[in-house]
Amino acid sequence: MEMFAFSPITAATTTAQPRVLFFSPFLHPSAPLLRSSARLCRRRRRYKVSLIRALSDQPSASAAKPDVFGEKRELTGVQSVVDALSPPVRIVGSALIVAAAAAAGYGLGSRLGGSRNAAVGGAVVVGAAATGAAYAVNSCVPEVAAVNLHNYVVGCGDPGAVKKEDVEAIANKYGVSKQNEAFNAEICDIYCRFVSSVLPPGGEDLKGDEVDAIIKFKSSLGIDDPDAAAMHMEIGRRIFRERLETGDRDADMDQRRAFQKLIYVSNLVFGEASGFLLPWKRVFKVTDAQVEVAVRDNAQRLYAIKLKPITEDITVDQLISLREAQLLYRLSDELAADMFREHTRKLVEKNISAALGVLKSRTKETQQVIAELDKILAFNNLLISFETHPEASRFARGVGPVSLIGGEYDGDRKIEDLKLLYRAYVTDALSGGRMEEIKLVALNQLRNVFGLGRREAESIALEVTSQAYRRRLQLAVSTGDLLRSDSKAAYLQQLCEELRFDPEMAVKIHEDTYRRKLQQLVADKGELSDADVETLKQVQIMFCIPKQTVEAAHADICGTLFEKIVKEAIASGVDGYDMETRKTVRKAAFGLRLTREIALSIASKAVRKVFRTYIERARSSGSRTESAKELRKMIVYNSLVVTELVADIKGESVDAPPPEEPAAKEEPKTDEDYEEWETLQSLKKSRPNKDISGRPSQKEINLKDDLPERDRADLYKTYLLYCLTGEVTRIPFGVQIPTKKDDSEYILLNQLGGILGLTDKEIVEVHRGLAEQAFRQEAEVILADGQLTKSRIEQLNELQKSVGLPPEYAQKIIKSITTTKLSAALETAVGRGRLSIKEIRELKENGVEIDTMISDSLRENLFKKTIDDIFSSGTGEFDEEEVYEKIPKDLNIPVGKAKGVVHELARTRLTNSLIQAVALLRQRNNQGVVNSLNDLLACDKAVASEPLSWEVPEELADLFLVYVKSDGATDEKVKRLQYLLNIGDAMAEALRGGPIDVGGVSRGSSESSTEEFVF
């Protein structure tokens, strides 16, 4: 596996640099620049030299190569000396060297300077130089230790052979702490090289052992987590820089994947501490979602690698191992379950593809197809059994029945292939002649695996089972087992149970078998012989076919052939229905063994279609005469063809008198019906069951159920008018001459009634309706003004006798006409106000129905006018019984509504009466004043009023004075008027007294003809 090439770390310099600029690998290159913390900057300066060396010297090799850490390093001269000395020797030697140098300096100083001070100065100078040399020797100890550590790791060859004890021994050998900058830098360099070598390039996936290898090597190396985390972050920066230097899109995607793998592996290495040791979000500005995506994608890839060796022979240990791997990879249960189901689905899809390949090949080796399907079922059963295993909680998630949803065979295009496989398995299950219980369970499981609907699976199973049942049935008949069995029903029931076949479907197969046999016999000879009937009876008994089913089969198959013969016979027309055709019909009717009812039903269907054709022609004709001619053709066709056809089907002679129908079927006729038959001339001429030649006419086939009653009555009426008026011959100058018809047309009319399916009552209604129409037309001319005189009554009686209309119907028409005329006259009188309540009562006494002759609105208007007359009569009287009961009863107005009208008029009239009285007072019309005040009192009786107000109180006093002096003033009326005019008792007494002086004018007695008032 090729390693990434590291670029020089230009950001790490000896001087402090506040920022390190880079872009997030998950963001667009135009994203804002990022800021590194001061701590990371200091740490990067700390490991500047060694890390640059490590990154620049890193070879492109995998973790398995021995040169992953580079070559061994050589020691310099001083470093070789230091390496040869142990720490105690090095310390003692350094002390001796410093002491010797000080002594030598002291001697040299005393020799050269000749004084003690010079000797001491020489000792200090030479001792200081010796101390510096000793210090220089001791200062290279960490570098020597780092070189030895590097050479040790390189010498191990396999990174897994590095031991923590050996690393500690190297540090102890040189008396160096692991926190020493040079020694720690070498440790970080080695760790960084190893992590970089373990992580695969961006285009490759993780193998799954990277995390364990890194954790083990980190522990063996003894590097602290913060230092190790810093190396992971540095590798991330290296990947980011390489992404900036890459211009290729594919290479950019590889770097993105490499960064995602680094995040995933780093989070697993540091566990829960990765949240604060690995500041991905702060340094690279990635979101939590992006980190989760990196973890999820890599976990899925690792789990997919773990799933690859899983086959249909999966074991418990493999399921437990998958669960442990899932937890190790930090893969969610939902995703793990989906991946496991997808893997099992693909395994099943391989079996399905193999089975389809064999099934669609030319060889079609069924056993190989069944073997593949059995593998699917066995694998599905194995997965189902794991659900109830005692250690199911330790198994991989998603263990359960196999489903093809979301896979290659999940779609309408592939469902037909699955149906083929299901059909093949059902066929194999029934190959032994019975359906075993284990096979039935397997079919249900296979249906669930394939995702077939219940109806689809049942349809396939039913089709295959039906074929198997037919084969077993055919074998039972050919061997005679079914015929020899004591109970045919028990034998057939056992056969259904062995095949798990629905008995109702078996009944349908029996019916189909019988129908095929019947169709075969009829097709060979065109009729059924006695031997054929016996054979069919034997088939019916063997298969336990009900009688109704047999009759229905005969009606369908034999009826179809008979219908064809009947259609050919009736299509020949009046002239073509000869003796040869009649023989053919008789032979078919009796040779096909059809019952009379079925044969007549089939013939009726064909004949009624011909009748409807005649009816359509009659309706589309341009005139009533042409319509009647078409109906006449239909009547003749019925008499000459249909009647003989019915006789041939019944096996009767057409000349023989028809058998008398039971009395129960006849409609009893009342005396009124007989009277109508005797009085209506058109009915007397049409005698039933007789045609022109005296032969009977059939009525079994009619149009009663094909046409509505109204349409049938209209057709009968059309021909009846034709019988009454005859044909019309047009001659020049626009003259029309009617041609007289004999009574034979009425016999045809009676036959038409039978064809149309009209009852005697319906026929009477048509005749009577036509007679009423003719009588009404003439009567309306005679009674044009609505008055019934003696001479007009005689004319109407003559008209009634000529038409033949019964007297009671004629009287109803006369009454209807006169009532209509009278109603119009009354409406006009009420509208013009010429009709009073007194006249209304006289009309009611004479039997005139006011409710029907006068509309509601006019009666209400008449009531309002009557009440208004009462309130303006000037008498002051108001009879509540008359107004609230008698008048509403005479006009048929509800009492409540009448009271509402009265109250409304009274309120309106009350004020108007006062105003009118004042106006008449000013005009010095004393009698008019008295009448108006009486109207005021009448309105007050209807609706009690409060005292009235007026702008000039003196005028109210004058009104009271005039009323008091009038002749008709009673104490009760005066007292009530005093209350309404709001006049006090003192004023009332004064006004009742002698003459008073009002406005300087003397008032004497009431007899004065001229009175003066001052206003």
Side-chain angles (χ1 to χ4, degrees), residues 22-27 32 34-35 232-240 259 262-263 279-287 290:
F22 48 84
F23 296 99
S24 170
F26 296 120
L27 302 176
L34 308 179
R35 182 188 301 270
H232 285 261
M233 297 300 293
E234 193 64 35
I235 294 174
R237 293 187 182 93
R238 189 269 323 258
I239 296 174
F240 171 72
F259 188 78
L262 173 65
I263 292 177
W280 305 113
K281 294 180 287 184
R282 178 170 58 82
V283 176
F284 298 101
K285 299 300 181 183
V286 295
T287 62
Q290 291 171 332

Side-chain angles (χ1 to χ4, degrees), residues 398-467:
V399 176
V402 180
S403 176
L404 298 180
I405 297 176
E408 178 184 356
Y409 292 93
D410 181 20
D412 296 337
R413 295 182 179 180
K414 295 292 185 179
I415 194 66
E416 297 300 328
D417 293 339
L418 298 178
K419 289 181 180 180
L420 289 176
L421 293 177
Y422 188 80
R423 183 188 302 275
Y425 201 83
V426 175
T427 304
D428 180 75
L430 293 171
S431 59
R434 62 173 55 241
M435 176 66 75
E436 302 293 342
E437 183 68 25
I438 187 174
K439 290 292 185 180
L440 193 62
V441 175
L443 283 172
N444 290 331
Q445 292 184 0
L446 190 63
R447 176 179 65 83
N448 294 332
V449 172
F450 286 171
L452 297 177
R454 182 178 295 275
R455 293 185 178 180
E456 294 175 328
E458 289 178 353
S459 176
I460 295 172
L462 179 62
E463 181 180 353
V464 178
T465 310
S466 299
Q467 296 175 358

Side-chain angles (χ1 to χ4, degrees), residues 161-173:
V162 176
K163 297 180 180 180
K164 186 176 182 180
E165 295 80 6
D166 295 339
V167 176
E168 292 177 352
I170 293 174
N172 293 333
K173 175 181 177 181

